[in-house]
Amino acid sequence: MNETSERTTSASEDAAKGARTLTGQVVSNKMNKTITVAIERVLRHPTYGKYVRRTTKLLAHDETNQAREGDTVTISPCRPLSRRKSWRLVAVLERAGER
């Protein structure tokens, strides 16, 4: 059997195997082949008990420049592609104009 063909997998196959994925909204697509994704999470304040919204911005690789501002996307971790970019776009879940 050819071992190299077994190791090569696409982004959608990695997501199907249970690789860690995050869902967020595209905040910027001004860079070439790179998007900025805002991941929002809600956590409880340790002292006051109020739920607080926290946002993390991650840079993700978009090979075909298909994601646009406002789109809801799924990203998955990959090897570091630059100083801040170590995520890649898996799928565009919802377009900005379709809401």
Side-chain angles (χ1 to χ4, degrees):
M1 291 179 85
N2 191 356
E3 291 179 24
T4 56
S5 64
E6 291 175 6
R7 284 189 219 145
T8 43
T9 58
S10 68
S12 60
E13 289 174 357
D14 286 345
K17 288 182 182 178
R20 178 179 180 217
T21 60
L22 296 176
T23 303
Q25 196 160 11
V26 178
V27 182
S28 171
N29 66 342
K30 291 177 174 52
M31 297 164 277
N32 188 26
K33 295 187 179 182
T34 303
I35 56 174
T36 305
V37 181
I39 309 295
E40 197 171 86
R41 66 189 194 280
V42 179
L43 58 97
R44 191 171 178 185
H45 192 280
T47 305
Y48 301 112
K50 181 178 179 176
Y51 288 95
V52 184
R53 208 168 270 184
R54 299 284 182 203
T55 305
T56 304
K57 284 186 184 178
L58 298 172
L59 296 183
H61 184 67
D62 181 10
E63 183 64 37
T64 58
N65 286 323
Q66 64 182 351
R68 299 207 162 64
E69 253 181 71
D71 291 353
T72 304
V73 296
T74 303
I75 58 174
S76 174
C78 65
R79 66 180 179 83
L81 300 170
S82 67
R83 183 169 64 105
R84 290 186 56 209
K85 186 165 69 167
S86 60
W87 294 80
R88 61 182 159 74
L89 177 69
V90 175
V92 177
L93 300 177
E94 187 179 353
R95 291 281 178 196
E98 294 178 2
R99 290 181 198 167

